[in-house]
Amino acid sequence: MLEAQSILEVAVAAPVMGVFDYRAPHTTDGPLQPGQRVRVPFGRGTRLGWLVGSKAASDLPEHRLRRVLSVLDAEPLLPPDLLRMLVWASRYYQQPLGEVLGAALPKALREGRDIAQGEMHWALSAEGRSADPDILRRAPAQLRIHAALRACAAPATAADLEVVSSNWRRALAALAARGWITAGRATAVLPIADIAPDRPPVLTADQVQAVAQINAAQGFQCFLLDGVTGSGKTEVYLRCIAQALAANRQSLVLVPEIGLTPQLLERFQRRFPVPIALLHSGLSDGERLRAFTAASDGSAAIIIGTRSAIFAPLLRPGLVIADEEHDPSYKQQEGWRYSARDLAVWRARELGVPLVLGSATPSLETIENAHSGRYTRLVLASRTGAAGQPRVSLIDLRQHAAREGLTQPLLAAIRRHLDAGGQVLIYLNRRGYAPVLMCPACGHVLECKRCDARMVLHQQRGQLACHHCGSERPVPAACPDCAGELKAVGQGTERLERALAAAFPDQQIERIDRDTTRRRGEIERRLNRVRKEEARILMGTQMLTKGHDFPRVTLVGIVDADQGLFGSDFRSAERLAQSFIQVAGRAGRAEHPGEVCLQTLFPEHPLLRVLISEGYAQFATLALEERRQAGWPPFACLALLRAEASQRPQVFSFLQAAAALAREHAPAGLNVLGPAAAPMERRAGRYRGQLLLQATSRRELQQLLPAWRAAVASIESQRRVRWSLDVDPVDLF
Ligand code: ADP
Ligand code: ZN
């Protein structure tokens, strides 16, 4: 509780660091508590803010202290654990607290609206219960409603009464007039799915071990659940959630992609007849608010969500899970650039509950944390079904010419698996028809006018599109320089689909990439056609590698294994290894043995060799050793200052000034690298540059950041650039 006589500290919803001092409002309805929203005068207007603390005196002179205008919430919107985490995160990420708090709340609350009002519901009053319904003889609708309410154990909602009588509102009003009805509002009614329950399988020995260790955790403990795809990680989550439910505790489950939530939701609903809240970016503001409220008032027993669900307030927390913890989409890439996976560690610690990080391809950071003993590693060594690990073969593109991207051995393998009744998955992580459109006569390549990038040919739409800034233009009929005929070079999924259709004219092909799944629900429709085996050839981009379960896929074909083999980012090898293992893991789940074919120009490449012959764990060991020697994370901590402007010199004069300030303040051992141009220097018509800070420890980096950020914010030229600071960047561009 905060002292109303003292000075209140308010985080204001504005892009400014620090908290502001205010005097308490003249009158309040209840006690002042951290986490309540307030309205305050700010500049010449008013702003929303959050009470975060109080103190005896302000540094400001008395006459400059302004007063809180009003308190919006009777109870704090943010529980203390969440508030503490966000205050910490604001400092760690050097992001204004008001913006951090705003990012953590549904839009409706950020805009000052009230917490969700639950649905109305009705029940019989004591009088209504003991009354003799015979006097309703002449009012059949009232009679039916009365009988229905008497029959239900829980209060009835509008939907319940609608079924009883279409005239229910009038009948209900008449009963209420007799004093027979009590009305209320549910805190936030979440439906419990009406779905056939599943029968839990008998756990494997590895699963038993994992479940026992997690369930034995006393308070906070962090687990890495390291299990190959199909080894039953989700089943382990379900068992731990069951224990949490039995103890009347909530579980928070993070998944990287919105596409994964429907599948997972159904699996959870089959197991648990309890209210489950979903939190993801596809919700309307109202739905999001309801899910937030249901988490907060405890009516949701399980909360499943993507990145921002890490901010769900929990009334009775028991367990936090982050599935596919290696997935880069846990990192927010604009505005406040937090990592939901990293915040999950803080959150679970604040809540005093166990955290489970699951993956078939854990991030190197997490593996290192397990090595050092900070996390407990739990291994699920083999798949649950009879399938075993898929057999992998390389197809050497120097020996087998590809036509339209497909070699004879790959085509033969596809035919073989289709003939045997299997499904095949063909992976190419490049959408569009072709990545390059060029003129063979003069060498002209069609490029984006606003980016340092080539235009991608989208033949079906008749457009050239830039995948970086989104600009599009019609495909020219001929070379703009020499009027020669243009040629599409390379493969995208659109072209590959056509090639597959030509090779397998009797097969339906399901292509899944961002172009074919723009419409709401489209991805689910396509996946369903695959699950029902209406389509036997499934193809597409990265979207396919994300946790979807295709029990009848027996062959995975990787069309271009060399994509990303020579990437410039220090994480490219890790990313490549992860997507390779993840897509290969789609082959041969359940009872069907699998095969993976990959086409490559570099069959001797050490990365491919290690992955194929020794597996991800060995790859990770080698990659970690390289990181250690090169001084990259997890053996270093990074912060990246990005800047962009319409003119190149503005970017560099700002970054040079920032670099000079960093060198001036830097503790020994902290490297200031750059400034340098971004790997793609011009994007959407703006020039981009960056400065990298590389420290040997978090503490060292955190020592520099607050003062340095403040100094950067007051560089004279900062007004002419757009800049942002990214602590623990996942991409160096
Ligand atoms: P993961 O999450 O590691 O990919 P899942 O939990 O989805 O693995 O399990 C893969 C498949 O194996 C699912 O169809 C699941 O129902 C099944 N499964 C999981 N555990 C067992 C078990 N102990 N016995 C039999 N089948 C299991
Ligand atoms: Zn562009």
Side-chain angles (χ1 to χ4, degrees), residues 448-453 455 466-471 683-685:
C448 178
K449 296 190 164 68
R450 309 167 68 218
C451 304
D452 295 333
M455 294 299 269
C466 173
H467 287 183
H468 301 283
C469 70
S471 66
R683 178 169 169 173

Side-chain angles (χ1 to χ4, degrees), residues 324-510:
E324 310 288 0
E325 67 84 29
H326 65 279
D327 198 293
S329 51
Y330 278 128
K331 174 90 179 183
Q332 167 72 33
Q333 292 287 26
E334 56 198 33
W336 172 28
R337 294 166 180 261
Y338 63 90
S339 156
R341 192 262 325 266
D342 294 348
L343 288 183
V345 180
W346 279 89
R347 187 82 202 276
R349 189 194 320 252
E350 287 289 347
L351 293 173
V353 303
L355 168 69
V356 183
L357 302 173
S359 177
T361 54
S363 64
L364 296 184
E365 281 82 356
T366 298
I367 290 179
E368 180 55 25
N369 276 323
H371 279 166
S372 70
R374 274 191 292 275
Y375 298 175
T376 307
R377 184 183 203 149
L378 306 168
V379 179
L380 304 183
S382 54
R383 292 184 170 191
T384 56
Q389 283 303 304
R391 191 157 50 82
V392 183
S393 54
L394 292 175
I395 299 171
D396 187 343
L397 285 169
R398 294 166 308 184
Q399 280 169 28
H400 303 279
R403 278 192 51 205
E404 297 287 292
L406 299 166
T407 56
Q408 275 312 321
L410 180 56
L411 287 167
I414 297 175
R415 169 126 303 132
R416 205 167 59 241
H417 282 263
L418 291 176
D419 286 348
Q423 287 181 317
V424 304
L425 185 161
I426 307 297
Y427 173 71
L428 176 62
N429 198 27
R430 199 187 287 128
R431 63 197 174 86
Y433 185 83
V436 180
L437 187 63
M438 71 169 297
C439 171
C442 73
H444 181 88
V445 173
L446 284 129
E447 289 184 338
C448 178
K449 296 190 164 68
R450 309 167 68 218
C451 304
D452 295 333
R454 289 164 175 168
M455 294 299 269
V456 176
L457 174 61
H458 285 254
Q459 188 118 301
Q460 273 162 357
R461 299 208 304 270
Q463 294 281 321
L464 291 175
C466 173
H467 287 183
H468 301 283
C469 70
S471 66
E472 298 207 349
R473 58 181 196 260
V475 181
C479 174
D481 279 2
C482 75
E485 196 183 333
L486 292 169
K487 185 167 184 273
V489 184
Q491 256 70 41
T493 46
E494 194 185 318
R495 189 175 201 173
L496 189 69
E497 180 183 24
R498 199 182 283 193
L500 284 166
F504 301 95
D506 52 336
Q507 292 289 340
Q508 186 182 326
I509 295 167
E510 222 47 84

